Amino acid sequence: MEGIWIPPSTDFLKFNVDGSTRDSPGNAGVGGVLRDANGMVLCIFSCFVGIQNSNNAKILDILKAINLCASSQYTSGREIIIASDSKVAVSWVYNDGFGSLDNIDSIYDIREKLRYLRKVIVTYNPTSTNSMVDMLAKRASNLEGDIVEWSS
C-alpha cells in the first residue's frame, strides 16, 4: 500500500529523501523529491553513493538534499523541510551522536550547512509516505545512472 504524501504549509518547500543499500554494506543510492505546497515537483535526484551501510546512506541522502538547497536559485531564501524516513539519522543531525566513525564528516558537514541555511530543517517522516523517493534510491543502488533534474 502506497502512503499519501503530506504537503507542507504554503510558505514551505518539502524535500522527501531516502537512502537504499543492496546489502549492508553494499551498493548504496540516495533519492529525493522537492515539492511545493501544491505538490508540484521542483527537483528530483537519484545518485549512487558507493559502498555504504544503510545508516550511512540515510545520512548521505540528507546531505545531498542540503547541498542541492544550498546551490539552487529555486530554494534561495525559501523555508525548506527535509523529510527523512530515518529517526536515527535525524537524531544524529541534531547532535545525538554519530553512529559510527564513517558518518562523522558527513554529519559535521550537515550541521555546518544547517547553521548557514537557517530556513532548512530536517524532520522524521514515516517510510509509508516515502514511496517515490524509495524508488529513486533503489534505482541508484542498482547502478542505473545518476539524475539531478530541476523543473524549468
Side-chain angles (χ1 to χ4, degrees), residues 83-132:
S84 169
D85 68 349
S86 173
K87 282 184 182 179
V88 172
V90 172
S91 73
W92 291 339
V93 165
Y94 291 108
N95 297 314
D96 191 16
F98 297 101
S100 72
L101 293 176
D102 295 340
N103 294 326
I104 289 176
D105 289 338
S106 297
I107 291 172
Y108 273 130
D109 199 12
I110 290 168
R111 291 175 184 170
E112 185 67 21
K113 287 178 177 163
L114 287 176
R115 275 195 268 287
Y116 293 102
L117 298 171
R118 296 191 184 276
K119 295 185 176 192
V120 177
I121 60 169
V122 180
T123 63
Y124 169 70
N125 194 60
T127 304
S128 62
T129 62
N130 228 7
S131 60
M132 185 173 180

Side-chain angles (χ1 to χ4, degrees), residues 8 12 15 19 27 33-34 44 61 83 91 104 109 119 138 140:
F12 286 81
F15 221 143
N27 287 345
V33 178
L34 177 67
I44 65 166
D61 60 12
S91 73
I104 289 176
D109 199 12
K119 295 185 176 192
K138 285 180 179 166

Side-chain angles (χ1 to χ4, degrees), residues 19-71:
S20 176
T21 58
R22 302 273 299 156
D23 292 305
S24 195
N27 287 345
V30 295
V33 178
L34 177 67
R35 297 180 184 102
D36 66 14
N38 297 317
M40 176 145 180
V41 174
L42 304 173
C43 179
I44 65 166
F45 71 84
S46 175
C47 300
F48 178 71
V49 291
I51 305 298
Q52 305 289 339
N53 67 41
S54 58
N55 285 328
N56 291 4
K58 301 292 185 177
I59 289 296
L60 293 171
D61 60 12
I62 294 168
L63 181 57
K64 180 68 175 180
I66 288 171
N67 286 335
L68 287 169
C69 290
S71 65

